[in-house]
Amino acid sequence: MKRVLVLGGTGEARELAQLLADRPGLRVTSSLAGRVRDPLLPAGEVRVGGFGGADGLAEWLRRERIDAVVDATHPFARNITGNAVTAAERTGVPALVLRRPAWEPGPGDDWRPVGSLSEAAELLPGLGERIFLTTGRQGLAHFAALDLWFLVRAVDPPEPPLPARTTTVLARGPFTVDDERALLREHRIDVLVTKNSGGAMTAAKLTAARELGVPVVVVQRPPQPAAPSADSAGAAAEWLDSVLHQGDHAG
């Protein structure tokens, strides 16, 4: 029996777990951070909660006799990814980073790339008064001191500190272009702020912003640690096949 740990919470992680669910001789455990109150659960075994950093994860990999790790967390989950790669190196367990491709600007887009949420906050006063903030409920403190109006969209209610003038919309993607266009118009949005998460579930807001001429402040992804990588669940499954059965046909 081969054992695989999938660090999940993304659509790609759920897709990978589904692809692996019925494979004989394979036991897959998906790990969720536990930051969302009602997460979408993947197929197979699920554990919720942290490991205690790289040291704790390395100990868990040894104890559970894990044969391979796939980090399929959010592109901005920098600490988790770093811990996964470090723990895998310490234990000799093969590790893969699964990341969906980043969004790329196209004709007609007005993108303002920044390196962090704090840089996004610094840029906003010169761009507009009514901001659609789609960076999730964490990190909102970076915008708390701004005297601007914010529409904040998140899966769970955000916690303070928040900007003084904030309206919250609780929703989970996927979103349609028609819905996003209507939302931008209804709230008279001047500027959209997003992380470059990639993927189709929340890309419609970028199309709506382009159609309405709304500038988009795009927080770029953090650098990825040196490790094998894949950009789809299918490619990750192929990598697992190769590393788990590497010596099966050796003479």
Side-chain angles (χ1 to χ4, degrees), residues 25-218:
L26 188 63
R27 184 177 176 184
V28 179
T29 300
S30 294
S31 178
L32 307 180
R35 292 175 181 166
V36 177
R37 292 180 183 177
D38 185 23
L40 297 174
L41 296 178
E45 295 182 17
V46 178
R47 73 175 298 279
V48 178
F51 292 93
D55 291 340
L57 178 53
E59 176 57 31
W60 194 90
L61 296 179
R62 294 188 190 99
R63 185 175 67 249
E64 299 296 327
R65 299 182 180 180
I66 298 298
D67 296 289
V69 177
V70 177
D71 171 65
T73 54
H74 192 275
F76 283 80
R78 184 175 184 174
N79 290 339
I80 299 174
T81 299
N83 289 341
V85 172
T86 299
E89 289 174 349
R90 290 179 183 175
T91 56
V93 175
L96 177 81
V97 177
L98 169 55
R99 288 290 182 273
R100 68 185 82 120
W103 293 318
E104 297 289 344
D109 282 322
D110 181 5
W111 283 20
R112 315 295 177 94
V114 294
S116 65
L117 289 174
S118 59
E119 288 182 28
E122 291 174 5
L123 192 61
L124 287 179
L127 290 180
E129 294 290 330
R130 300 180 66 83
I131 317 299
F132 184 21
L133 195 56
T134 66
T135 56
R137 65 191 179 97
Q138 297 184 7
L140 298 182
H142 292 283
F143 305 90
L146 296 179
D147 185 23
L148 303 171
W149 183 88
F150 287 88
L151 176 66
V152 173
R153 183 165 67 194
V155 176
D156 292 324
E159 298 178 356
L162 301 174
R165 292 185 288 156
T166 297
T167 296
T168 301
V169 175
L170 299 182
R172 192 199 307 261
F175 305 103
T176 68
V177 174
D178 286 345
D179 288 342
E180 298 290 62
R181 189 190 305 112
L183 190 68
L184 293 175
R185 283 175 169 160
E186 175 188 353
H187 294 282
R188 308 189 311 280
I189 296 300
D190 298 319
V191 186
L192 167 65
V193 182
T194 185
K195 293 178 178 178
N196 194 336
S197 302
M201 282 189 69
T202 59
K205 62 191 174 188
L206 301 173
T207 302
R210 179 173 63 245
E211 292 178 356
L212 297 177
V214 173
V216 184
V217 178
V218 182

